[in-house]
Amino acid sequence: MTATTAENQPTAPTGGGHPQRWLILGVICLAQLTVLLDNTVLSVAIPSLTAELHASTSDIQWMINAYSLVQSGLLLTAGNAADRYGRKKLLAVGLALFGLGSLAAGLAESTAQLIAARAGMGVGGALLMTTTLAVVMQIFDDSQRVKAIAIWATISSLGFAAGPLIGGAILNHFWWGMIFLINIPVALIGLIAVLKLVPESKNPQGDRPDLLGALLSTIGMTSVVYAIITGPEHGWTSAQVLVPAGIGVAVLAAFALWELRIPYPMLDMHFFRNQKFVGAVAGAILVMLGMGGSLFLLTQHLQFVLGYEPLEAGLRMAPLALTIVVLNLSGIGPKLVMKIGTPPSVALGLTLVAGGLTSIALLGGGADGTYAGMLLGLVLMGAGIALSNPAMANAIMSAIPPEKAGVGAGVNGTLAEFGNGLGVAILGAVLNARFAALVTVTATSLPAALAAAGTEAERQQISDAFASGLQTSQLVGAVAVFAGGLLAAALLKRAERSEQKAAQKAEHTVAGAEQKATAA
């Protein structure tokens, strides 16, 4: 079947783009912010969930990871489906599903119900994450597209950083369920605006959704992260850890083989032959690993160890978000990227992120840490994220053919979600292992361990052990981000040199052909 209507053709806008493009961008950013906030807003509610739902550390991690893993597993398929069936249509469906999932989460009465609701929200989030960038690409022309994408990227970064502040403000006046129920009016407003404002676009000849690939990738990633989460509890060499780890590796290998064999892969594995793509992938995963895991740990330290209320903890996390917003909206970040180039921007950005994590660990994360040390670390992390995220997103999108822009958006979102979930799992596992090595407790969370302590000395020992575990986790994250930054920058620099040599060779070929034609 072919479509001839202008609505169904992915034509480039002219004269600046769609006449209501900036209003549409505002709607898109609102939907994007809601989804991204949900990745971090839950972290500030950890003490409330621990007390009211009797959630263990593993339960908390699954509340976070159920959302991010489902979303990351479906992002690529959602992008392909949006290209084929209509971006506006699936954007509206995503908002509806996200609102319904938020309602179920807000009314959950057990950890199992909340985890299931979060997984359902992940389905809606996958549709929103992929269609928002695709619509931005559609409604803006080349003259304004870079500016629009910069705003979109800033909102994306803000979503990850501002969650603790918004969550803290809500929890200061309401019970924990409101952090989910607040999404419902936003989803309704967004749905109405999308239906009225956003133009439909699709490519009827687009790639078919790769449902088996989505299933394999979700199962594989879930199994691997499950092994990481349960490692400290059961032992890294136990069957409870090795079996899911083995299943995860095997399923991910099957996913890669399946993607190589089918005509319409969810992820074209040949992209990994592109050094620019590989470098951007490495950097994107590691910056989100450090950031996602760090926020998960920092909110616990601020509340459990330093004793701040949820709103106070959120306010003390705000400098991270403010730094990102100031540097990107002022244009300083994008201008610096343009001036020094993508590889140096990635290296410098991730070095700043690693420096921020180190500052938090050494000056603000130990038993005698201060907020001043955390403040320095948060500002450094914000500066690094503002510099490295746009550079890596640009590298990913430029490494993928224009006709695969929807897949590129899916890849970008998948890396962010997977890195965030992996960071929570890995750094949470390091924290649990260090905590268990320093004190012998049977409780599954810090509040429960403190409640079970018989004397003040025991409670102090438990608090010190938890703070030490946080410190170790931050240092592990810093090393991973720094090493990843150097690796990503090296791969991107090498890719640029290869592209320059290829361009020079092409120029020489053309010049030689012209000389021969002139001589003839």
Side-chain angles (χ1 to χ4, degrees), residues 57-78:
T57 300
S58 179
D59 290 333
I60 295 295
Q61 288 176 323
W62 274 110
M63 290 175 191
I64 296 172
N65 287 329
Y67 176 82
S68 59
L69 288 177
V70 169
Q71 186 174 9
S72 61
L74 294 177
L75 277 169
L76 295 176
T77 297

Side-chain angles (χ1 to χ4, degrees), residues 37 40 89 116-117 142 187 240 258 270 298 332 473 485 494 513:
L37 281 174
T40 53
K89 188 180 301 175
D142 292 339
Q240 293 96 322
W258 170 255
H270 296 97
L298 275 176
I332 296 176
S473 299
R494 186 176 177 182

Side-chain angles (χ1 to χ4, degrees), residues 359-439:
S359 174
I360 291 169
L362 299 181
L363 304 178
D368 300 322
T370 64
Y371 177 68
M374 282 193 179
L375 178 61
L376 173 62
L378 291 171
V379 172
L380 288 174
M381 286 180 67
I385 291 163
L387 187 61
S388 59
N389 270 7
M392 289 185 296
N394 179 66
I396 289 174
M397 297 303 291
S398 63
I400 293 178
E403 62 270 18
K404 297 283 188 179
V407 175
V411 169
N412 190 54
T414 298
L415 296 177
E417 289 302 315
F418 183 61
N420 183 67
L422 199 60
V424 171
I426 292 177
L427 297 191
V430 173
L431 166 62
N432 290 340
R434 178 63 176 166
F435 182 64
L438 293 175
V439 293

